[in-house]
Amino acid sequence: MNPNINRQWLLRRRPQGQVGRDDLELATSPVPAPAKGEVLVRIKLLCMDPTIRNFMDPDPGYGAPVAVGGVIRGVVIGEIVASRDETRAIGELVWGFGEWSDYVAGPAAQFLPLPTRFGHPLPAYTHVLGTIGLTAHYGLQDVAGIRPGHTVLVSGAAGAVGSLVGQMARIAGASHIVGIAGGKDKCQRAVERYGYDQCIDYKGDTRLDAALREAFPDGIDIVFENVGGSLLEASLNHLRKGARVALCGMIARYGATESVPGPRNLWNLVVNTARIEGFLVTDILGDAVRSDKALREIDSWIRDGRLQYDVDVRSGFENIPDIFNCLFTGAHTGRLVVQIDEDAR
C-alpha cells in the first residue's frame, strides 16, 4: 500500500449476470483529505457481500446504485489515520460502509468503533462479531422469534450467515434444524461443523419438496431464508400453523438475467396464519443497546465452544473482482474477506 496513492475499483459498465473484469476498472487517485467533521480511514479488510452485486444494477431494490464511473461500495474494517472530528482519534479501529479502495474519507458517524474489547482476531469482526453475527442474531431472535422446541429450516446453510443461524438455533433450544446447501461438501460441513441435524443438497438429485416433507413431517416453525426462488417456494409448502419466515436475502436473484421463479404459493401463508418479514441488519446498527447485547451473547458462545465460525481471507487488491465472484460460484468457505493490509490478521 502506497501512502500517497489510493487504488480504487470503479464500475465501468453495469454487469449482465456475473461480474466480469471488463465491467470494472482498476484506477488510482490521490489519497482523499477529510473535510471538517470527517475522518480518513486506511482500509485493512474488505468484506465481500452478495448485496454488493445489487448496487451495481440501476435499481438495486434498496439504497442508491453505484454510478457508472463510481467506486464500488462495501463494508470495511480499517484504521483512522487522519481526523477532523474531535470525538475520533487517529489509530482508532473502525468498521462501516466504505469503498473498494485503500483509503476512504467520510463523516465520522459513518464509521463505528470496532468492539475490540472482546479480544478476538481482527477478521472475526467482519463475521461473527460484525454485521454477519448481528444479522443472524437479529433475524433469528427478533424477526423469527425462535423459542425452545421450534423446528427450523435455513437456506444457504453453509454460508456466512447460515453457518451461524444453525448454531444459534441449537443454542436457543430448537428441536430440529435442517439446512439447504449446494453440494455434498457444503452439506457435510453444515452438519459436522455448524450443528445442523441434516442438510439437503439442492444441487443433487433430491426432489426438494419431497425431501422437506420427509425432514419436517409435522411442519416448519421457522424458515430463515437467504436464497429465495424455488427454495423459498418449496419451504412454503411445509409451514406449520403460525410459522415465521425471516427473509434475510434473495441471492438467487442477485445478478440474474432472467426472472427468478417463485414463490407462487403465498396462499400458504394465509392457510397457516404464517408471517413473512424481510429485514436488514441496518435496522439495529443504530441501536447500541440491542447490538451490544447481541455481541456480548455471541462472544460468550464463542468462548464456551458453542459457536464456530470460519473466515476465508484472500489477498490481492488486483484480484478483488475474481474473489467477489466466489460468492456466487460457492468457491469459498464461510465469510469471504479481502486483506488489504499485511497486519490485518
Side-chain angles (χ1 to χ4, degrees):
M1 182 182 292
N2 188 321
N4 301 310
I5 296 176
N6 189 32
R7 296 173 297 175
Q8 300 172 310
W9 276 104
L10 311 180
L11 183 63
R12 184 180 175 208
R13 65 185 184 191
R14 301 207 181 279
Q16 299 297 313
Q18 184 169 295
V19 178
R21 280 274 182 168
D22 291 341
D23 298 323
L24 306 180
E25 178 183 352
L26 181 57
T28 59
S29 68
V31 174
K36 186 176 180 180
E38 292 188 339
V39 295
L40 176 66
V41 175
R42 183 180 68 186
I43 296 172
K44 292 177 173 290
L45 295 169
L46 279 175
C47 301
M48 300 287 101
D49 291 301
T51 193
I52 294 171
R53 176 61 186 81
N54 284 348
F55 295 130
M56 298 181 192
D57 289 335
D59 181 12
Y62 72 94
V66 175
V68 173
V71 186
I72 307 298
R73 301 192 303 269
V75 174
V76 305
I77 281 181
E79 178 184 356
I80 294 177
V81 293
S83 175
R84 295 194 62 193
D85 183 286
E86 61 183 16
T87 67
R88 311 306 290 274
I90 292 174
E92 183 179 357
L93 292 174
V94 296
W95 71 271
F97 291 97
E99 299 175 343
W100 285 9
S101 58
D102 288 312
Y103 296 87
V104 61
Q110 181 177 324
F111 301 99
L112 303 176
L114 208 65
T116 52
R117 65 187 183 279
F118 294 118
H120 295 278
L122 200 59
Y125 301 98
T126 69
H127 186 4
V128 66
L129 287 164
T131 54
I132 299 298
L134 289 173
T135 296
H137 193 283
Y138 174 57
L140 194 60
Q141 297 283 346
D142 296 42
V143 179
I146 190 167
R147 297 291 183 271
H150 275 166
T151 58
V152 180
L153 175 68
V154 183
S155 63
V161 173
S163 65
L164 300 181
V165 173
Q167 297 176 81
M168 290 182 182
R170 177 74 61 203
I171 293 168
S175 62
H176 191 53
I177 309 165
V178 177
I180 302 176
K184 180 180 178 181
D185 290 344
K186 287 194 173 185
C187 281
Q188 183 176 351
R189 189 174 189 84
V191 172
E192 294 180 355
R193 182 161 175 80
Y194 302 140
Y196 285 91
D197 292 305
Q198 72 179 90
C199 185
I200 299 168
D201 179 8
Y202 74 87
K203 289 185 176 180
D205 297 330
T206 303
R207 291 177 58 243
L208 185 57
D209 199 65
L212 290 176
R213 184 179 301 109
E214 182 178 349
F216 295 100
D218 298 317
I220 306 169
D221 291 305
I222 290 174
V223 176
F224 196 105
E225 187 58 59
N226 293 303
V227 179
S230 60
L231 273 62
L232 174 58
E233 183 170 281
S235 70
L236 296 183
N237 288 332
H238 304 280
L239 299 180
R240 186 179 278 180
K241 203 76 170 175
R244 296 293 179 261
V245 180
L247 197 57
C248 177
M250 300 281 281
I251 196 171
R253 66 171 295 275
Y254 299 170
T257 56
E258 298 179 359
S259 178
V260 176
R264 297 164 293 185
N265 54 349
L266 291 178
W267 175 250
N268 289 337
L269 295 172
V270 178
V271 172
N272 293 291
T273 56
R275 183 176 69 198
I276 185 169
E277 182 177 348
F279 69 97
L280 297 169
V281 69
T282 50
D283 296 342
I284 63 166
L285 289 183
D287 185 341
V289 174
R290 174 66 182 83
S291 296
D292 186 65
K293 175 181 181 294
L295 292 174
R296 284 188 283 106
E297 285 191 347
I298 290 169
D299 173 62
S300 70
W301 297 336
I302 297 170
R303 293 183 185 281
D304 66 18
R306 288 189 288 172
L307 191 61
Q308 310 292 327
Y309 69 95
D310 295 298
V311 184
D312 190 339
V313 181
R314 309 288 181 94
S315 299
F317 192 92
E318 67 282 359
N319 297 323
I320 288 176
D322 298 326
I323 296 171
F324 176 70
N325 279 327
C326 290
L327 291 171
F328 303 94
T329 62
H332 68 294
T333 300
R335 175 62 149 154
L336 186 59
V337 176
V338 181
Q339 178 180 321
I340 305 300
D341 240 354
E342 290 183 1
D343 63 350
R345 292 179 182 273

